[in-house]
């Protein structure tokens, strides 16, 4: 076990110094760390062993933001206490245990691995969680509750919010959670109020109970609260939240409609901003393009791949890219098997 003190005689080790020290010790063969931090960022996730058969183990006290961010399979992190924002950001396979609370955006963008929290988590936690079937499903277990706007734009994975010590809360998911959720499942115990209209709250099926039952003991053991098993396994107190879009096809909502009805109104900063809800085009055409496609007749074999795949339907049968439609995305050049399209800088002045 390698013990690292990051504060010596009031001299604080910087994040960069700490991460470089950890990496040097890993390169020298060390795999187990106990670190007394003073708010240094990114501990755990950004340290990798070249020998992938080795596991890395971290016990942390008082770390800063992004504990375990981008953590890989084979990394195990235990935080003895609470942590600030972004814990497990883009977790890619690490196991992260936080014995206390997490700040905002815990498990944000998590794509694999497990995050176990023995307290509460802040706003926007679990937002943008996702699942690539090539990798293990990301799991995010929380003993108590989440802040508002959690699971925003969630696309996959599983979150389990146990609602312990939340009897007085109007909602264990705060306000306006699950906005824009398109995939994954949030299991929740206790009161839920004011979630987005794109999701539905459902009773548990037998397969849900089996999943929760198989994971609950593991979770409670990890956070040292196995005494709560009886309280948290009364499945009649649980529900699951899933996006309606998973089951039924809905009419596609325009971005303007989404902003007016789902995102801004009553949502974050809704009381403080005035917004005309106009949506600006991000991809310009004509002279606004950064690059323009140029076609070389000599190289072309007439396969029509470019014509079929141009997202703007900008290429004519005679291979002229209509500048009023073309956005300079370069897809034609990327797909052409003969490199007959070349993207060149558009040096023209932008005209309005
Ligand atoms: S750059 Fe993009 S938009 Fe323009 S012609 Fe090629 S594929 Fe179409
Ligand atoms: S993809 Fe290339 S080779 Fe095929 S038609 Fe288009 S320019 Fe010609």
């Amino acid at each position: 076990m390698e013990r690292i003190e990051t504060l010596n005689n009031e001299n604080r080790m910087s994040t960069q110094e700490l991460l470089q020290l950890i990496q040097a010790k890993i390169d020298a063969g060390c795999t187990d760390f106990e670190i007394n931090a003073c708010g240094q960022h990114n501990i755990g996730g950004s340290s990798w062993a070249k020998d992938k058969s080795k596991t890395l183990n971290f016990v942390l006290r008082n770390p800063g933001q992004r504990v375990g961010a981008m953590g890989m399979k084979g990394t195990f992190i235990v935080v003895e206490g609470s942590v600030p924002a972004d814990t497990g950001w883009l977790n890619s396979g690490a196991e992260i245990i936080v014995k206390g609370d997490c700040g905002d955006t815990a498990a944000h963008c998590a794509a694999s691995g497990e995050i176990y929290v023995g307290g509460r988590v802040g706003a926007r936690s679990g937002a943008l969680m996702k699942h690539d079937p090539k990798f293990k499903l990301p799991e995010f277990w929380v003993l108590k509750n989440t802040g508002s706007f959690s699971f925003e734009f969630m696309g996959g994975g599983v979150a389990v919010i146990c609602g312990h010590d939340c009897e007085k809360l109007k909602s264990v998911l705060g306000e306006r959670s699950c906005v824009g959720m398109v995939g994954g499942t949030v299991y929740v115990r206790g009161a839920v109020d004011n979630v987005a209209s794109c999701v539905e709250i459902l009773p548990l099926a037998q397969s849900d109970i089996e999943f929760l039952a198989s994971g609950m003991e593991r979770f409670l053991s990890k956070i040292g609260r196995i005494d709560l098993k009886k309280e948290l396994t009364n499945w009649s107190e649980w529900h699951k939240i899933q996006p309606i879009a998973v089951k039924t096809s809905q009419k596609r909502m325009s971005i303007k409609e989404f902003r007016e009805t789902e995102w801004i109104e009553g949502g974050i900063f809704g009381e403080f901003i005035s917004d005309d809800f106009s949506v600006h085009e991000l991809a310009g055409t004509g002279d606004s393009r950064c690059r323009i496609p140029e076609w070389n007749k000599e190289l072309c074999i007439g396969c029509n791949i470019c014509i079929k795949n141009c997202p703007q339907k900008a290429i004519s049968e005679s291979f002229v890219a209509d500048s009023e439609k073309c956005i300079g995305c370069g897809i034609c050049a990327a797909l052409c098997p003969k490199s007959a399209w070349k993207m060149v800088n558009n040096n023209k002045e932008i005209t309005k």
Side-chain angles (χ1 to χ4, degrees):
M1 174 70 77
E2 185 71 36
R3 286 195 174 79
I4 300 178
E5 292 291 340
T6 62
L7 189 63
N8 292 309
N9 296 327
E10 298 184 8
N11 291 319
R12 178 185 177 273
M13 199 182 279
S14 71
T15 292
Q16 185 182 25
E17 286 165 339
L18 174 61
L19 297 184
Q20 286 175 342
L21 177 65
I22 293 169
Q23 194 60 52
K25 289 185 180 294
I26 291 172
D27 293 344
C30 184
T31 55
D32 297 273
F33 295 87
E34 186 176 328
I35 301 172
N36 283 330
C38 344
Q40 288 89 351
H41 292 189
N42 288 317
I43 306 177
S46 55
S47 304
W48 299 332
K50 289 195 184 92
D51 178 354
K52 298 284 176 251
S53 66
K54 286 187 174 172
T55 60
L56 296 178
N57 301 288
F58 296 87
V59 176
L60 307 178
R61 289 181 196 85
N62 197 28
Q65 292 186 358
R66 295 203 167 186
V67 168
M70 295 192 282
M72 302 295 281
K73 192 169 171 235
T75 299
F76 296 85
I77 300 169
V78 178
V79 182
E80 300 286 0
S82 295
V83 289
D86 282 348
T87 298
W89 177 78
L90 199 52
N91 186 20
S92 304
E95 178 186 287
I96 302 169
I97 301 168
V98 176
K99 300 278 184 74
D101 299 326
C102 288
D104 293 342
T105 53
H108 196 266
C109 299
S112 191
E114 298 91 31
I115 300 171
Y116 302 112
V117 181
R120 308 182 197 278
V121 296
R124 289 214 152 85
S125 290
L128 289 162
M129 279 179 72
K130 56 185 79 67
H131 180 217
D132 179 339
K134 279 195 288 188
F135 300 91
K136 198 167 168 289
L137 189 80
E139 292 185 32
F140 178 38
W141 292 70
V142 177
L143 181 64
K144 296 183 179 176
N145 59 300
T146 76
S148 298
F149 312 109
S150 291
F151 310 110
E152 208 176 42
F153 304 114
M154 182 176 182
V158 175
V160 183
I161 312 303
C162 298
H164 169 65
D165 190 22
C166 293
E167 292 71 22
K168 291 189 181 146
L169 295 184
K170 196 170 151 207
S171 172
V172 295
L173 299 183
E175 291 276 327
R176 304 284 296 137
S177 283
C178 304
V179 171
M181 180 176 172
V182 292
T185 303
V186 177
Y187 293 107
V188 60
R189 174 180 164 271
V192 172
D193 189 42
N194 201 13
V195 291
S197 59
C198 63
V199 297
E200 56 188 342
I201 301 173
L202 301 164
L204 298 189
Q206 188 54 35
S207 57
D208 300 312
I209 293 174
E210 282 162 18
F211 171 82
L212 289 171
S214 70
M216 188 58 77
E217 192 164 326
R218 169 171 39 100
F219 166 56
L220 294 175
S221 303
K222 301 269 184 197
I223 61 167
R225 293 304 309 267
I226 198 71
D227 56 299
L228 296 175
K229 185 176 171 191
K230 190 159 178 239
E231 175 191 323
L232 301 183
T233 51
N234 177 358
W235 306 122
S236 66
E237 295 175 350
W238 286 81
H239 288 89
K240 69 176 171 185
I241 298 176
Q242 286 183 325
I244 294 170
V246 167
K247 291 172 57 183
T248 55
S249 59
Q250 291 179 307
K251 182 178 154 285
R252 188 177 185 278
M253 193 182 263
S254 72
I255 292 179
K256 182 173 186 296
E257 235 180 315
F258 174 74
R259 295 188 69 194
E260 284 174 351
T261 59
E262 290 283 331
W263 196 10
I264 301 289
E265 197 175 59
I268 189 164
F269 306 136
E271 296 154 35
F272 310 108
I273 60 167
S274 63
D275 191 333
D276 64 3
F277 296 107
S278 58
V279 179
H280 302 281
E281 278 195 34
L282 295 177
T285 58
D287 293 345
S288 301
R289 292 170 295 173
C290 295
R291 301 176 308 159
I292 55 175
E294 275 183 5
W295 180 63
N296 185 334
K297 185 179 177 185
E298 304 304 318
L299 297 174
C300 177
I301 55 170
C303 66
N304 284 354
I305 287 174
C306 55
I307 294 176
K308 285 184 199 150
N309 288 283
C310 169
Q312 295 293 102
K313 304 279 177 248
I315 305 174
S316 72
E317 284 178 7
S318 52
F319 301 101
V320 175
D322 182 343
S323 65
E324 291 307 307
K325 293 183 184 167
C326 172
I327 54 174
C329 65
I331 287 175
C332 50
L335 294 182
C336 175
K338 293 291 168 186
S339 301
W341 286 104
K342 190 170 74 167
M343 301 304 294
V344 298
N345 283 339
N346 183 12
N347 293 323
K348 288 181 190 160
E349 266 183 43
I350 293 175
T351 52
K352 298 233 171 176

